[in-house]
Amino acid sequence: MSIDLYLKNAQVVTETEVFHGGVTVEGEKIAGVVRGDQEIQAVQVIDLQGCVLLPGVVDAHVHFNEPGRENWEGYRTGTMAAAAGGVTSVLEMPLNSTPPTINRELLAYKRQVVASQAVVDYGNWGGLVDNNLADLDAMHEDGVIGYKAFASASGVDFERLNDDLIYAGLDKMRQLGNVVGLHAENEWVCSYLSKQLKDAGRTDRAAWYESRPPFAELETIQRASYWAKVTGGNLHVVHISVADGIRHLAQLRQAGVHVTAETCPHYLFFDHQDFERIGPAAKCAPPIRSREDVEALWACVLEGLVDTIGSDHSPCSWDEKEKGMDNIWKAWGGISGVQLTLPVLLSEGVNKRGLSLSELARMLSYNPARLFGLYPQKGKIQPGADADLAVVDLGQEWTLSADQLFFKNKFSAYVGSTFKGQVQRTLVRGKTVYHSGQILAEPGYGKLLLRSYPYQY
Ligand SMILES: [Zn+2]
């Protein structure tokens, strides 16, 4: 066999070590991991000049709105932005597209619509909603990587769950060997506080985060994880913004309960002051927290208590944000960020707070690949794995402008932010799909990913 590609002179990162060396690629796979400087014959040799070579990011939390709301994003632009951010696999959510992906037929429909669109690999979340317990088996057979569920109202045509179905859904996960990804905020407390604030005439930006306080999130994390403990079901709490929630889940996991925690870059980057300055583009749920909460969340990341970091890329058209400029309640909630996960974590984590590159690879690649049944095809730089790689320059300082975004709607809460650490090149299955500002793959290059084994973590 001849070597197609030799990436040399890099800092190679796995979840356990960082070493000077390189990677050889044959076809779509990693053929070998090279330590030190070796002369190797290959069709193409790329000298990475000391840059960091990470396993491609597995972003387990994106909303691409296709089919049905392609004016908000779509798989084509969404995966282009992913590629530009060093993301080589995306796991896409079942809501915010119409119709939502809540049964076998709608899953097949989505896959048919998006098959020719993606430039990176992609898998699908199914939905667990109020009336589809009978549909979970068929979606599992068809390879969904998990089931998204909401404990509070989702804001779109996707029914939230009460405890009966959180309980029953988790029990079903134990039987299937799959996982529920839960949006955990207390519906009743958030509704009550929202009404109080609205009745008082509040339309300012602070009213948004006052209506969804940290304790409303923590309560639902505690309640749902109790049902995970009782049922033995598998629970992944998504987009956690409060440190106490992360610590609660970490304690249960230590005790053998099947619970894991995701946080998002925006909870590690923005605080209340930023939110009040930026406004609608930074509106999301749970909301952006105080600086004290942000630093407490960082402490969890640095202690290794966070399992995965996903972007929760949740775009919309600008008019959906603009209408909330003077009344925050009216803006669509969601932050466009799939392109910025690595820059945020390289800058704020590795460069500013001493986060190790191995810990970064663990949260961004290794853990999500294992949790969603994609490992060892994805998630680690090792022989036999797909050659999914991100080349980053750790020292490069840059400021994000809107024209650098590959999103369909070129705005983001992050525009104007300065980062230290930049993605230079992204490879998916051995092919460079992004390099120095250019997308180099055709739509349709990205392949469908299926959960290939039951939950184990
Ligand atoms: Zn989401």
Side-chain angles (χ1 to χ4, degrees):
M1 288 285 266
S2 68
I3 302 296
D4 295 308
L5 173 63
Y6 177 27
L7 298 163
K8 69 173 190 178
N9 189 18
Q11 289 186 67
V12 182
V13 181
T14 75
E15 82 288 352
T16 54
E17 59 176 338
V18 182
F19 55 89
H20 177 77
V23 165
T24 59
V25 177
E26 283 179 16
E28 298 190 340
K29 301 288 185 184
I30 293 173
V33 173
V34 179
R35 284 170 193 269
D37 297 307
Q38 297 181 30
E39 284 306 312
I40 293 174
Q41 294 298 316
V43 176
Q44 187 186 12
V45 178
I46 301 175
D47 185 338
L48 296 180
Q49 302 181 326
C51 277
V52 171
L53 186 61
L54 289 163
V57 174
V58 178
D59 188 340
H61 195 155
V62 301
H63 300 262
F64 286 164
N65 320 99
E66 188 168 4
R69 283 198 184 91
E70 291 87 347
N71 61 321
W72 286 14
E73 189 63 272
Y75 267 62
R76 183 177 298 221
T77 50
T79 57
M80 286 166 65
V87 177
T88 53
S89 301
V90 289
L91 304 180
E92 206 257 337
M93 286 293 176
L95 68 155
N96 300 1
S97 50
T98 55
T101 314
I102 54 173
N103 62 41
R104 164 175 272 169
E105 290 70 32
L106 293 171
L107 176 63
Y109 173 58
K110 170 176 284 218
R111 285 173 173 172
Q112 177 215 321
V113 169
V114 307
S116 62
Q117 300 300 311
V119 302
V120 306
D121 291 350
Y122 59 97
N124 305 113
W125 287 83
L128 167 62
V129 291
D130 209 12
N131 54 3
N132 77 333
L133 267 186
D135 294 299
L136 302 187
D137 286 277
M139 285 191 282
H140 178 75
E141 285 166 22
D142 290 351
V144 296
I145 53 76
Y147 299 86
K148 179 68 179 296
F150 274 74
S152 57
S154 73
V156 287
D157 38 9
F158 192 85
E159 294 298 318
R160 56 168 293 275
L161 303 181
N162 286 320
D163 278 25
D164 50 354
L165 281 156
I166 295 176
Y167 167 82
L170 286 168
D171 195 48
K172 189 72 187 172
M173 292 306 110
R174 177 182 51 76
Q175 298 164 36
L176 290 177
N178 214 313
V179 63
V180 163
L182 185 72
H183 178 126
E185 287 183 292
N186 185 293
E187 168 67 13
W188 301 276
V189 171
C190 292
S191 295
Y192 170 79
L193 292 174
S194 300
K195 184 169 186 313
Q196 298 288 107
L197 289 158
K198 286 175 181 172
D199 287 351
R202 293 278 301 275
T203 56
D204 59 293
R205 293 165 182 183
W208 176 248
Y209 60 73
E210 287 176 30
S211 74
R212 311 184 82 86
F215 57 78
E217 187 180 355
L218 180 59
E219 183 279 337
T220 304
I221 292 170
Q222 290 175 341
R223 177 160 44 94
S225 57
Y226 176 73
W227 295 128
K229 183 179 176 182
V230 166
T231 58
N234 313 309
L235 173 68
H236 182 59
V237 183
V238 297
H239 52 51
I240 300 177
S241 68
V242 293
D244 287 348
I246 303 274
R247 291 183 187 281
H248 179 75
L249 293 174
Q251 268 183 5
L252 283 174
R253 186 163 59 259
Q254 283 255 303
V257 182
H258 296 173
V259 290
T260 47
E262 177 197 70
T263 190
C264 307
H266 42 271
Y267 299 121
L268 296 165
F269 194 75
F270 299 117
D271 61 21
H272 282 167
Q273 282 189 335
D274 297 315
F275 176 62
E276 286 168 36
R277 170 175 53 82
I278 299 165
K283 180 182 173 182
C284 57
I288 297 300
R289 302 297 189 191
S290 69
R291 181 45 54 179
E292 194 183 350
D293 288 330
V294 172
E295 295 306 327
L297 195 58
W298 267 114
C300 291
V301 169
L302 296 170
E303 286 174 47
L305 303 180
V306 171
D307 297 284
T308 70
I309 298 180
S311 66
D312 195 5
H313 178 71
S314 185
C316 62
S317 54
W318 174 245
D319 60 310
E320 294 290 337
K321 290 293 193 184
E322 192 177 29
K323 62 190 178 193
M325 289 303 267
D326 298 319
N327 181 344
I328 197 64
W329 304 107
K330 292 183 178 173
W332 172 256
I335 289 180
S336 299
V338 67
Q339 200 174 329
L340 287 314
T341 297
L342 262 182
V344 167
L345 291 163
L346 293 170
S347 190
E348 296 294 308
V350 176
N351 277 316
K352 194 179 281 182
R353 292 179 177 82
L355 175 68
S356 79
L357 288 165
S358 287
E359 270 297 296
L360 184 70
R362 188 181 71 86
M363 293 183 289
L364 292 184
S365 304
Y366 180 68
N367 281 351
R370 286 192 306 144
L371 188 53
F372 299 105
L374 305 174
Y375 183 84
Q377 181 191 352
K378 304 295 189 189
K380 180 167 182 160
I381 296 177
Q382 60 186 345
D386 285 354
D388 291 355
L389 301 160
V391 179
V392 307
D393 181 341
L394 207 48
Q396 183 69 42
E397 292 192 51
W398 61 289
T399 299
L400 179 71
S401 59
D403 61 4
Q404 290 169 295
L405 297 170
F406 285 92
F407 309 151
K408 174 145 307 162
N409 296 287
K410 298 190 190 312
F411 68 88
S412 169
Y414 293 106
V415 168
S417 298
T418 294
F419 303 97
K420 185 174 182 183
Q422 189 175 48
V423 177
Q424 304 289 342
R425 180 192 289 268
T426 306
L427 297 94
V428 175
R429 287 177 280 106
K431 177 182 170 57
T432 293
V433 298
Y434 170 83
H435 185 217
S436 297
Q438 303 294 318
I439 298 295
L440 300 173
E442 292 299 318
Y445 177 73
K447 283 187 181 168
L448 175 65
L449 300 170
L450 306 177
R451 174 181 277 280
S452 59
Y453 50 85
Y455 179 95
Q456 50 179 257
Y457 188 78

